[in-house]
Amino acid sequence: VLPALTAKQSSAVAAMSLLGRFAAARVALKPASALARTGFPSTRSFAQAVTSPRPLSIRSDSLMVQCVVAALVYFVPQDIVFLGGLFWTWHVHGSTMSPKAKQPDAEAAVEEFKAKKGLEKLNVSKGRSTWYVSV
C-alpha cells in the first residue's frame, strides 16, 4: 500500500515525470553517430559521407542515354565521310606542292639539285629510304 501524497509532493512527481519524458524524447530524436552510420569516425555528424562522385539519376535505359546513342548513330557516319574527304584534299594539295619522286642514284640527284639551285653547302641527312636536304 502506498502512502498518500500531499499536493506539493504530487506536483513534484508530475514535474519529474514530465522531465523524464523530455529526456527520453531528446535521446530518441538524437541522430545516430557517424561511427554507427558509416563505420568511420567523423567530427561532422550533419552530412552523409560521399563515397564517389557518380550521378544518381542516369540510368542506361533513360531518355538521355537513348538520345546520345541516336545522335552518335546519326552523326558519326557523316563526320567520317566529311573528315575523310578533308584529309584526302589535304593529301592531294600537299602532294602537288611537293611531289615525291624515286631516284635511282640519290648522290647524283643531290649533286644535280645543288647545281640547279646554285648552292654549294647543304646539310643532307640520310634516312633508311628517304634523304632530307636543308640549307
Side-chain angles (χ1 to χ4, degrees), residues 105-127:
D105 185 14
E107 293 281 343
V110 169
E111 293 301 323
E112 179 186 342
F113 176 75
K114 284 169 50 175
K116 180 180 173 185
K117 297 294 182 180
L119 301 171
E120 296 175 4
K121 185 175 180 184
L122 290 177
N123 296 328
V124 179
S125 59
K126 301 175 184 180

Side-chain angles (χ1 to χ4, degrees), residues 65-111:
V65 171
Q66 291 176 3
C67 289
V68 167
V69 169
L72 289 173
V73 167
Y74 183 79
F75 288 113
V76 167
Q78 295 177 21
D79 292 343
I80 290 173
V81 169
F82 175 75
L83 292 176
L86 187 64
F87 289 139
W88 179 254
T89 303
W90 287 343
H91 170 72
V92 169
H93 185 262
S95 296
T96 56
M97 295 290 284
S98 177
K100 61 181 178 181
K102 187 169 182 155
Q103 302 292 332
D105 185 14
E107 293 281 343
V110 169
E111 293 301 323

Side-chain angles (χ1 to χ4, degrees), residues 15-37:
M16 290 183 92
S17 68
L18 184 63
L19 287 176
R21 286 184 187 166
F22 285 150
R26 185 172 177 207
V27 169
L29 293 177
K30 188 175 184 180
S33 68
L35 183 60
R37 275 187 286 123

